[in-house]
Amino acid sequence: MRIGELARRSGVSVRALRYYEEQSLLDADRTPGGQRDYPDGAVDRVQLIQQLYAAGLSSRTIVELLPCVSTGTATQSMFDRLMTERDRIGVRMDELAQAKVKLDRVIEQVLAAGLTRDGVTGSAPVGS
């Protein structure tokens, strides 16, 4: 598939796809005319790259770990890195869950105080 189609199907910009290729995160063959030609599995790979970036992994770390995704095997050091990153993501998820609970409490307090149309609490509630 061509780069524009991969961008459309994966929801990632063409520029980002070129960057992934520069970083050795994504491979493409070239047509005789020099255009990139990505395999069908490229959409899933791009989505995985996006998820790993969103989880805080660097492109360097992702490059180190992608062979595990492709082969389903790992060296001991790769396995250790997988475990470390998974544990780090778990800690971050716990921190985010705690922040969400705190924001839920603030929202409840604001609603209990009587949120108004002008965004000020204490006068006429929204919907009156």
Side-chain angles (χ1 to χ4, degrees), residues 89-128:
I89 291 168
V91 168
R92 185 70 180 130
M93 289 172 64
D94 292 343
E95 293 169 350
L96 290 170
Q98 291 171 13
K100 182 183 179 294
V101 167
K102 290 177 183 176
L103 287 175
D104 287 344
R105 287 185 193 139
V106 171
I107 290 167
E108 288 173 13
Q109 290 172 345
V110 168
L111 292 173
L115 181 65
T116 65
R117 288 175 200 243
D118 62 5
V120 178
T121 55
S123 51
V126 172
S128 357

PDB file of all heavy atoms in Angstrom, residues 89-128:
ATOM      1  N   ILE A  89       4.791   1.405  32.738  1.00  0.00           N
ATOM      2  CA  ILE A  89       3.461   1.781  32.248  1.00  0.00           C
ATOM      3  C   ILE A  89       2.410   1.504  33.321  1.00  0.00           C
ATOM      4  O   ILE A  89       1.488   2.304  33.537  1.00  0.00           O
ATOM      5  CB  ILE A  89       3.135   1.029  30.936  1.00  0.00           C
ATOM      6  CG1 ILE A  89       4.032   1.549  29.812  1.00  0.00           C
ATOM      7  CG2 ILE A  89       1.659   1.167  30.576  1.00  0.00           C
ATOM      8  CD1 ILE A  89       4.001   0.692  28.554  1.00  0.00           C
ATOM      9  N   GLY A  90       2.540   0.381  34.032  1.00  0.00           N
ATOM     10  CA  GLY A  90       1.599   0.064  35.109  1.00  0.00           C
ATOM     11  C   GLY A  90       1.610   1.111  36.206  1.00  0.00           C
ATOM     12  O   GLY A  90       0.547   1.518  36.699  1.00  0.00           O
ATOM     13  N   VAL A  91       2.792   1.580  36.587  1.00  0.00           N
ATOM     14  CA  VAL A  91       2.904   2.638  37.601  1.00  0.00           C
ATOM     15  C   VAL A  91       2.227   3.903  37.094  1.00  0.00           C
ATOM     16  O   VAL A  91       1.476   4.564  37.820  1.00  0.00           O
ATOM     17  CB  VAL A  91       4.388   2.903  37.963  1.00  0.00           C
ATOM     18  CG1 VAL A  91       4.538   4.173  38.778  1.00  0.00           C
ATOM     19  CG2 VAL A  91       4.971   1.712  38.713  1.00  0.00           C
ATOM     20  N   ARG A  92       2.479   4.246  35.834  1.00  0.00           N
ATOM     21  CA  ARG A  92       1.877   5.451  35.249  1.00  0.00           C
ATOM     22  C   ARG A  92       0.360   5.323  35.201  1.00  0.00           C
ATOM     23  O   ARG A  92      -0.357   6.291  35.462  1.00  0.00           O
ATOM     24  CB  ARG A  92       2.447   5.680  33.843  1.00  0.00           C
ATOM     25  CG  ARG A  92       1.989   6.949  33.204  1.00  0.00           C
ATOM     26  CD  ARG A  92       2.592   8.172  33.890  1.00  0.00           C
ATOM     27  NE  ARG A  92       2.110   9.360  33.232  1.00  0.00           N
ATOM     28  CZ  ARG A  92       1.588  10.390  33.864  1.00  0.00           C
ATOM     29  NH1 ARG A  92       1.549  10.424  35.171  1.00  0.00           N
ATOM     30  NH2 ARG A  92       1.144  11.424  33.192  1.00  0.00           N
ATOM     31  N   MET A  93      -0.147   4.143  34.886  1.00  0.00           N
ATOM     32  CA  MET A  93      -1.594   3.924  34.870  1.00  0.00           C
ATOM     33  C   MET A  93      -2.187   4.140  36.261  1.00  0.00           C
ATOM     34  O   MET A  93      -3.260   4.746  36.402  1.00  0.00           O
ATOM     35  CB  MET A  93      -1.916   2.528  34.355  1.00  0.00           C
ATOM     36  CG  MET A  93      -1.655   2.369  32.876  1.00  0.00           C
ATOM     37  SD  MET A  93      -1.803   0.667  32.286  1.00  0.00           S
ATOM     38  CE  MET A  93      -3.528   0.330  32.582  1.00  0.00           C
ATOM     39  N   ASP A  94      -1.504   3.658  37.287  1.00  0.00           N
ATOM     40  CA  ASP A  94      -1.967   3.858  38.660  1.00  0.00           C
ATOM     41  C   ASP A  94      -1.996   5.345  39.004  1.00  0.00           C
ATOM     42  O   ASP A  94      -2.947   5.835  39.619  1.00  0.00           O
ATOM     43  CB  ASP A  94      -1.077   3.110  39.656  1.00  0.00           C
ATOM     44  CG  ASP A  94      -1.204   1.597  39.550  1.00  0.00           C
ATOM     45  OD1 ASP A  94      -2.189   1.112  38.950  1.00  0.00           O
ATOM     46  OD2 ASP A  94      -0.302   0.894  40.068  1.00  0.00           O
ATOM     47  N   GLU A  95      -0.950   6.066  38.605  1.00  0.00           N
ATOM     48  CA  GLU A  95      -0.895   7.512  38.862  1.00  0.00           C
ATOM     49  C   GLU A  95      -2.029   8.237  38.147  1.00  0.00           C
ATOM     50  O   GLU A  95      -2.669   9.122  38.722  1.00  0.00           O
ATOM     51  CB  GLU A  95       0.451   8.089  38.413  1.00  0.00           C
ATOM     52  CG  GLU A  95       1.625   7.613  39.225  1.00  0.00           C
ATOM     53  CD  GLU A  95       2.969   7.960  38.623  1.00  0.00           C
ATOM     54  OE1 GLU A  95       3.040   8.417  37.456  1.00  0.00           O
ATOM     55  OE2 GLU A  95       3.977   7.764  39.328  1.00  0.00           O
ATOM     56  N   LEU A  96      -2.296   7.854  36.922  1.00  0.00           N
ATOM     57  CA  LEU A  96      -3.385   8.471  36.164  1.00  0.00           C
ATOM     58  C   LEU A  96      -4.745   8.152  36.785  1.00  0.00           C
ATOM     59  O   LEU A  96      -5.630   9.013  36.847  1.00  0.00           O
ATOM     60  CB  LEU A  96      -3.346   8.011  34.705  1.00  0.00           C
ATOM     61  CG  LEU A  96      -2.186   8.553  33.876  1.00  0.00           C
ATOM     62  CD1 LEU A  96      -2.119   7.837  32.525  1.00  0.00           C
ATOM     63  CD2 LEU A  96      -2.304  10.049  33.682  1.00  0.00           C
ATOM     64  N   ALA A  97      -4.916   6.930  37.264  1.00  0.00           N
ATOM     65  CA  ALA A  97      -6.173   6.558  37.921  1.00  0.00           C
ATOM     66  C   ALA A  97      -6.384   7.385  39.187  1.00  0.00           C
ATOM     67  O   ALA A  97      -7.506   7.832  39.465  1.00  0.00           O
ATOM     68  CB  ALA A  97      -6.177   5.065  38.246  1.00  0.00           C
ATOM     69  N   GLN A  98      -5.323   7.621  39.938  1.00  0.00           N
ATOM     70  CA  GLN A  98      -5.422   8.452  41.143  1.00  0.00           C
ATOM     71  C   GLN A  98      -5.787   9.889  40.786  1.00  0.00           C
ATOM     72  O   GLN A  98      -6.614  10.519  41.459  1.00  0.00           O
ATOM     73  CB  GLN A  98      -4.113   8.412  41.928  1.00  0.00           C
ATOM     74  CG  GLN A  98      -3.825   7.070  42.561  1.00  0.00           C
ATOM     75  CD  GLN A  98      -2.423   6.998  43.150  1.00  0.00           C
ATOM     76  OE1 GLN A  98      -1.737   7.990  43.300  1.00  0.00           O
ATOM     77  NE2 GLN A  98      -1.993   5.784  43.475  1.00  0.00           N
ATOM     78  N   ALA A  99      -5.194  10.415  39.729  1.00  0.00           N
ATOM     79  CA  ALA A  99      -5.512  11.773  39.287  1.00  0.00           C
ATOM     80  C   ALA A  99      -6.971  11.858  38.847  1.00  0.00           C
ATOM     81  O   ALA A  99      -7.661  12.852  39.134  1.00  0.00           O
ATOM     82  CB  ALA A  99      -4.587  12.181  38.144  1.00  0.00           C
ATOM     83  N   LYS A 100      -7.467  10.826  38.183  1.00  0.00           N
ATOM     84  CA  LYS A 100      -8.865  10.812  37.748  1.00  0.00           C
ATOM     85  C   LYS A 100      -9.812  10.830  38.944  1.00  0.00           C
ATOM     86  O   LYS A 100     -10.809  11.555  38.950  1.00  0.00           O
ATOM     87  CB  LYS A 100      -9.137   9.583  36.880  1.00  0.00           C
ATOM     88  CG  LYS A 100     -10.567   9.520  36.357  1.00  0.00           C
ATOM     89  CD  LYS A 100     -10.806   8.243  35.566  1.00  0.00           C
ATOM     90  CE  LYS A 100     -12.218   8.149  35.071  1.00  0.00           C
ATOM     91  NZ  LYS A 100     -13.223   8.016  36.120  1.00  0.00           N
ATOM     92  N   VAL A 101      -9.492  10.050  39.970  1.00  0.00           N
ATOM     93  CA  VAL A 101     -10.322  10.028  41.184  1.00  0.00           C
ATOM     94  C   VAL A 101     -10.377  11.421  41.808  1.00  0.00           C
ATOM     95  O   VAL A 101     -11.442  11.905  42.209  1.00  0.00           O
ATOM     96  CB  VAL A 101      -9.790   8.984  42.194  1.00  0.00           C
ATOM     97  CG1 VAL A 101     -10.421   9.160  43.556  1.00  0.00           C
ATOM     98  CG2 VAL A 101     -10.029   7.573  41.666  1.00  0.00           C
ATOM     99  N   LYS A 102      -9.237  12.093  41.870  1.00  0.00           N
ATOM    100  CA  LYS A 102      -9.198  13.443  42.441  1.00  0.00           C
ATOM    101  C   LYS A 102     -10.027  14.419  41.614  1.00  0.00           C
ATOM    102  O   LYS A 102     -10.758  15.250  42.165  1.00  0.00           O
ATOM    103  CB  LYS A 102      -7.754  13.916  42.573  1.00  0.00           C
ATOM    104  CG  LYS A 102      -7.004  13.160  43.659  1.00  0.00           C
ATOM    105  CD  LYS A 102      -5.552  13.560  43.748  1.00  0.00           C
ATOM    106  CE  LYS A 102      -4.855  12.706  44.809  1.00  0.00           C
ATOM    107  NZ  LYS A 102      -3.436  12.952  44.903  1.00  0.00           N
ATOM    108  N   LEU A 103      -9.927  14.325  40.285  1.00  0.00           N
ATOM    109  CA  LEU A 103     -10.733  15.201  39.431  1.00  0.00           C
ATOM    110  C   LEU A 103     -12.223  14.890  39.571  1.00  0.00           C
ATOM    111  O   LEU A 103     -13.051  15.808  39.567  1.00  0.00           O
ATOM    112  CB  LEU A 103     -10.293  15.054  37.970  1.00  0.00           C
ATOM    113  CG  LEU A 103      -8.950  15.687  37.623  1.00  0.00           C
ATOM    114  CD1 LEU A 103      -8.568  15.368  36.188  1.00  0.00           C
ATOM    115  CD2 LEU A 103      -8.972  17.193  37.853  1.00  0.00           C
ATOM    116  N   ASP A 104     -12.572  13.613  39.710  1.00  0.00           N
ATOM    117  CA  ASP A 104     -13.976  13.245  39.943  1.00  0.00           C
ATOM    118  C   ASP A 104     -14.507  13.913  41.208  1.00  0.00           C
ATOM    119  O   ASP A 104     -15.633  14.414  41.221  1.00  0.00           O
ATOM    120  CB  ASP A 104     -14.129  11.728  40.046  1.00  0.00           C
ATOM    121  CG  ASP A 104     -13.994  11.012  38.711  1.00  0.00           C
ATOM    122  OD1 ASP A 104     -14.088  11.665  37.658  1.00  0.00           O
ATOM    123  OD2 ASP A 104     -13.764   9.778  38.737  1.00  0.00           O
ATOM    124  N   ARG A 105     -13.696  13.924  42.257  1.00  0.00           N
ATOM    125  CA  ARG A 105     -14.112  14.565  43.519  1.00  0.00           C
ATOM    126  C   ARG A 105     -14.323  16.067  43.325  1.00  0.00           C
ATOM    127  O   ARG A 105     -15.289  16.636  43.841  1.00  0.00           O
ATOM    128  CB  ARG A 105     -13.072  14.326  44.604  1.00  0.00           C
ATOM    129  CG  ARG A 105     -13.067  12.911  45.118  1.00  0.00           C
ATOM    130  CD  ARG A 105     -12.098  12.749  46.271  1.00  0.00           C
ATOM    131  NE  ARG A 105     -11.885  11.338  46.539  1.00  0.00           N
ATOM    132  CZ  ARG A 105     -10.718  10.796  46.828  1.00  0.00           C
ATOM    133  NH1 ARG A 105      -9.636  11.544  46.907  1.00  0.00           N
ATOM    134  NH2 ARG A 105     -10.612   9.505  47.047  1.00  0.00           N
ATOM    135  N   VAL A 106     -13.427  16.711  42.604  1.00  0.00           N
ATOM    136  CA  VAL A 106     -13.567  18.151  42.349  1.00  0.00           C
ATOM    137  C   VAL A 106     -14.830  18.417  41.545  1.00  0.00           C
ATOM    138  O   VAL A 106     -15.588  19.347  41.858  1.00  0.00           O
ATOM    139  CB  VAL A 106     -12.314  18.702  41.618  1.00  0.00           C
ATOM    140  CG1 VAL A 106     -12.533  20.131  41.161  1.00  0.00           C
ATOM    141  CG2 VAL A 106     -11.086  18.605  42.513  1.00  0.00           C
ATOM    142  N   ILE A 107     -15.078  17.605  40.530  1.00  0.00           N
ATOM    143  CA  ILE A 107     -16.289  17.772  39.719  1.00  0.00           C
ATOM    144  C   ILE A 107     -17.530  17.611  40.575  1.00  0.00           C
ATOM    145  O   ILE A 107     -18.482  18.399  40.471  1.00  0.00           O
ATOM    146  CB  ILE A 107     -16.283  16.772  38.536  1.00  0.00           C
ATOM    147  CG1 ILE A 107     -15.200  17.177  37.532  1.00  0.00           C
ATOM    148  CG2 ILE A 107     -17.659  16.680  37.870  1.00  0.00           C
ATOM    149  CD1 ILE A 107     -14.883  16.121  36.491  1.00  0.00           C
ATOM    150  N   GLU A 108     -17.548  16.624  41.450  1.00  0.00           N
ATOM    151  CA  GLU A 108     -18.686  16.425  42.349  1.00  0.00           C
ATOM    152  C   GLU A 108     -18.885  17.649  43.241  1.00  0.00           C
ATOM    153  O   GLU A 108     -20.020  18.083  43.465  1.00  0.00           O
ATOM    154  CB  GLU A 108     -18.474  15.182  43.212  1.00  0.00           C
ATOM    155  CG  GLU A 108     -18.608  13.878  42.453  1.00  0.00           C
ATOM    156  CD  GLU A 108     -18.238  12.659  43.295  1.00  0.00           C
ATOM    157  OE1 GLU A 108     -18.102  12.782  44.529  1.00  0.00           O
ATOM    158  OE2 GLU A 108     -18.071  11.574  42.702  1.00  0.00           O
ATOM    159  N   GLN A 109     -17.791  18.211  43.755  1.00  0.00           N
ATOM    160  CA  GLN A 109     -17.891  19.398  44.613  1.00  0.00           C
ATOM    161  C   GLN A 109     -18.445  20.591  43.843  1.00  0.00           C
ATOM    162  O   GLN A 109     -19.287  21.335  44.354  1.00  0.00           O
ATOM    163  CB  GLN A 109     -16.518  19.746  45.199  1.00  0.00           C
ATOM    164  CG  GLN A 109     -16.021  18.760  46.214  1.00  0.00           C
ATOM    165  CD  GLN A 109     -14.573  19.022  46.627  1.00  0.00           C
ATOM    166  OE1 GLN A 109     -13.849  19.768  45.979  1.00  0.00           O
ATOM    167  NE2 GLN A 109     -14.151  18.378  47.702  1.00  0.00           N
ATOM    168  N   VAL A 110     -17.969  20.765  42.623  1.00  0.00           N
ATOM    169  CA  VAL A 110     -18.442  21.886  41.801  1.00  0.00           C
ATOM    170  C   VAL A 110     -19.927  21.723  41.505  1.00  0.00           C
ATOM    171  O   VAL A 110     -20.699  22.684  41.614  1.00  0.00           O
ATOM    172  CB  VAL A 110     -17.613  21.986  40.497  1.00  0.00           C
ATOM    173  CG1 VAL A 110     -18.256  22.939  39.502  1.00  0.00           C
ATOM    174  CG2 VAL A 110     -16.181  22.409  40.799  1.00  0.00           C
ATOM    175  N   LEU A 111     -20.336  20.522  41.142  1.00  0.00           N
ATOM    176  CA  LEU A 111     -21.760  20.292  40.867  1.00  0.00           C
ATOM    177  C   LEU A 111     -22.605  20.481  42.116  1.00  0.00           C
ATOM    178  O   LEU A 111     -23.706  21.033  42.053  1.00  0.00           O
ATOM    179  CB  LEU A 111     -21.960  18.903  40.269  1.00  0.00           C
ATOM    180  CG  LEU A 111     -21.392  18.699  38.863  1.00  0.00           C
ATOM    181  CD1 LEU A 111     -21.512  17.239  38.447  1.00  0.00           C
ATOM    182  CD2 LEU A 111     -22.084  19.611  37.860  1.00  0.00           C
ATOM    183  N   ALA A 112     -22.110  20.024  43.254  1.00  0.00           N
ATOM    184  CA  ALA A 112     -22.852  20.170  44.512  1.00  0.00           C
ATOM    185  C   ALA A 112     -22.987  21.643  44.896  1.00  0.00           C
ATOM    186  O   ALA A 112     -23.970  22.050  45.513  1.00  0.00           O
ATOM    187  CB  ALA A 112     -22.158  19.398  45.628  1.00  0.00           C
ATOM    188  N   ALA A 113     -22.005  22.470  44.524  1.00  0.00           N
ATOM    189  CA  ALA A 113     -22.052  23.900  44.844  1.00  0.00           C
ATOM    190  C   ALA A 113     -23.003  24.644  43.923  1.00  0.00           C
ATOM    191  O   ALA A 113     -23.337  25.792  44.185  1.00  0.00           O
ATOM    192  CB  ALA A 113     -20.650  24.498  44.752  1.00  0.00           C
ATOM    193  N   GLY A 114     -23.438  24.005  42.835  1.00  0.00           N
ATOM    194  CA  GLY A 114     -24.401  24.631  41.923  1.00  0.00           C
ATOM    195  C   GLY A 114     -23.730  25.343  40.769  1.00  0.00           C
ATOM    196  O   GLY A 114     -23.698  26.569  40.736  1.00  0.00           O
ATOM    197  N   LEU A 115     -23.229  24.627  39.813  1.00  0.00           N
ATOM    198  CA  LEU A 115     -22.598  25.207  38.632  1.00  0.00           C
ATOM    199  C   LEU A 115     -23.604  26.062  37.881  1.00  0.00           C
ATOM    200  O   LEU A 115     -24.741  25.661  37.686  1.00  0.00           O
ATOM    201  CB  LEU A 115     -22.085  24.086  37.720  1.00  0.00           C
ATOM    202  CG  LEU A 115     -21.376  24.509  36.440  1.00  0.00           C
ATOM    203  CD1 LEU A 115     -20.077  25.241  36.770  1.00  0.00           C
ATOM    204  CD2 LEU A 115     -21.078  23.300  35.570  1.00  0.00           C
ATOM    205  N   THR A 116     -23.185  27.234  37.433  1.00  0.00           N
ATOM    206  CA  THR A 116     -24.087  28.130  36.703  1.00  0.00           C
ATOM    207  C   THR A 116     -23.672  28.259  35.257  1.00  0.00           C
ATOM    208  O   THR A 116     -22.594  27.843  34.857  1.00  0.00           O
ATOM    209  CB  THR A 116     -24.077  29.536  37.335  1.00  0.00           C
ATOM    210  OG1 THR A 116     -22.772  30.091  37.170  1.00  0.00           O
ATOM    211  CG2 THR A 116     -24.454  29.473  38.793  1.00  0.00           C
ATOM    212  N   ARG A 117     -24.530  28.906  34.471  1.00  0.00           N
ATOM    213  CA  ARG A 117     -24.254  29.102  33.050  1.00  0.00           C
ATOM    214  C   ARG A 117     -23.007  29.937  32.815  1.00  0.00           C
ATOM    215  O   ARG A 117     -22.295  29.733  31.850  1.00  0.00           O
ATOM    216  CB  ARG A 117     -25.439  29.776  32.371  1.00  0.00           C
ATOM    217  CG  ARG A 117     -26.609  28.875  32.229  1.00  0.00           C
ATOM    218  CD  ARG A 117     -27.786  29.642  31.662  1.00  0.00           C
ATOM    219  NE  ARG A 117     -28.990  28.901  31.974  1.00  0.00           N
ATOM    220  CZ  ARG A 117     -29.769  28.384  31.057  1.00  0.00           C
ATOM    221  NH1 ARG A 117     -29.508  28.541  29.799  1.00  0.00           N
ATOM    222  NH2 ARG A 117     -30.829  27.694  31.397  1.00  0.00           N
ATOM    223  N   ASP A 118     -22.759  30.900  33.677  1.00  0.00           N
ATOM    224  CA  ASP A 118     -21.589  31.764  33.480  1.00  0.00           C
ATOM    225  C   ASP A 118     -20.331  31.168  34.103  1.00  0.00           C
ATOM    226  O   ASP A 118     -19.285  31.792  34.117  1.00  0.00           O
ATOM    227  CB  ASP A 118     -21.844  33.173  34.015  1.00  0.00           C
ATOM    228  CG  ASP A 118     -22.119  33.207  35.505  1.00  0.00           C
ATOM    229  OD1 ASP A 118     -22.032  32.152  36.174  1.00  0.00           O
ATOM    230  OD2 ASP A 118     -22.420  34.292  36.021  1.00  0.00           O
ATOM    231  N   GLY A 119     -20.433  29.928  34.576  1.00  0.00           N
ATOM    232  CA  GLY A 119     -19.269  29.233  35.108  1.00  0.00           C
ATOM    233  C   GLY A 119     -18.968  29.569  36.552  1.00  0.00           C
ATOM    234  O   GLY A 119     -17.983  29.118  37.102  1.00  0.00           O
ATOM    235  N   VAL A 120     -19.837  30.356  37.197  1.00  0.00           N
ATOM    236  CA  VAL A 120     -19.627  30.717  38.602  1.00  0.00           C
ATOM    237  C   VAL A 120     -20.525  29.838  39.461  1.00  0.00           C
ATOM    238  O   VAL A 120     -21.687  29.619  39.130  1.00  0.00           O
ATOM    239  CB  VAL A 120     -19.967  32.222  38.844  1.00  0.00           C
ATOM    240  CG1 VAL A 120     -19.796  32.594  40.288  1.00  0.00           C
ATOM    241  CG2 VAL A 120     -19.122  33.101  37.934  1.00  0.00           C
ATOM    242  N   THR A 121     -19.975  29.340  40.559  1.00  0.00           N
ATOM    243  CA  THR A 121     -20.792  28.512  41.446  1.00  0.00           C
ATOM    244  C   THR A 121     -21.502  29.400  42.464  1.00  0.00           C
ATOM    245  O   THR A 121     -21.067  30.494  42.765  1.00  0.00           O
ATOM    246  CB  THR A 121     -19.921  27.500  42.189  1.00  0.00           C
ATOM    247  OG1 THR A 121     -18.881  28.168  42.880  1.00  0.00           O
ATOM    248  CG2 THR A 121     -19.345  26.471  41.237  1.00  0.00           C
ATOM    249  N   GLY A 122     -22.617  28.905  42.944  1.00  0.00           N
ATOM    250  CA  GLY A 122     -23.294  29.565  44.048  1.00  0.00           C
ATOM    251  C   GLY A 122     -24.529  30.324  43.654  1.00  0.00           C
ATOM    252  O   GLY A 122     -25.301  30.712  44.521  1.00  0.00           O
ATOM    253  N   SER A 123     -24.766  30.632  42.385  1.00  0.00           N
ATOM    254  CA  SER A 123     -26.006  31.307  42.002  1.00  0.00           C
ATOM    255  C   SER A 123     -26.925  30.317  41.293  1.00  0.00           C
ATOM    256  O   SER A 123     -26.926  29.152  41.644  1.00  0.00           O
ATOM    257  CB  SER A 123     -25.711  32.552  41.159  1.00  0.00           C
ATOM    258  OG  SER A 123     -24.840  32.238  40.095  1.00  0.00           O
ATOM    259  N   ALA A 124     -27.626  30.735  40.292  1.00  0.00           N
ATOM    260  CA  ALA A 124     -28.590  29.835  39.635  1.00  0.00           C
ATOM    261  C   ALA A 124     -27.886  28.677  38.944  1.00  0.00           C
ATOM    262  O   ALA A 124     -26.951  28.904  38.175  1.00  0.00           O
ATOM    263  CB  ALA A 124     -29.416  30.633  38.626  1.00  0.00           C
ATOM    264  N   PRO A 125     -28.310  27.437  39.210  1.00  0.00           N
ATOM    265  CA  PRO A 125     -27.684  26.271  38.579  1.00  0.00           C
ATOM    266  C   PRO A 125     -27.921  26.238  37.070  1.00  0.00           C
ATOM    267  O   PRO A 125     -28.845  26.833  36.570  1.00  0.00           O
ATOM    268  CB  PRO A 125     -28.352  25.076  39.247  1.00  0.00           C
ATOM    269  CG  PRO A 125     -29.136  25.609  40.385  1.00  0.00           C
ATOM    270  CD  PRO A 125     -29.325  27.070  40.164  1.00  0.00           C
ATOM    271  N   VAL A 126     -27.059  25.475  36.400  1.00  0.00           N
ATOM    272  CA  VAL A 126     -27.202  25.270  34.959  1.00  0.00           C
ATOM    273  C   VAL A 126     -28.556  24.617  34.714  1.00  0.00           C
ATOM    274  O   VAL A 126     -28.965  23.726  35.423  1.00  0.00           O
ATOM    275  CB  VAL A 126     -26.067  24.356  34.422  1.00  0.00           C
ATOM    276  CG1 VAL A 126     -26.324  23.969  32.971  1.00  0.00           C
ATOM    277  CG2 VAL A 126     -24.731  25.036  34.566  1.00  0.00           C
ATOM    278  N   GLY A 127     -29.279  25.111  33.676  1.00  0.00           N
ATOM    279  CA  GLY A 127     -30.568  24.536  33.329  1.00  0.00           C
ATOM    280  C   GLY A 127     -31.714  25.294  33.934  1.00  0.00           C
ATOM    281  O   GLY A 127     -32.876  25.012  33.665  1.00  0.00           O
ATOM    282  N   SER A 128     -31.474  26.318  34.805  1.00  0.00           N
ATOM    283  CA  SER A 128     -32.596  27.064  35.368  1.00  0.00           C
ATOM    284  C   SER A 128     -32.933  28.248  34.503  1.00  0.00           C
ATOM    285  O   SER A 128     -32.216  28.742  33.742  1.00  0.00           O
ATOM    286  CB  SER A 128     -32.345  27.613  36.757  1.00  0.00           C
ATOM    287  OG  SER A 128     -31.172  27.317  37.351  1.00  0.00           O
TER     288      SER A 128
END
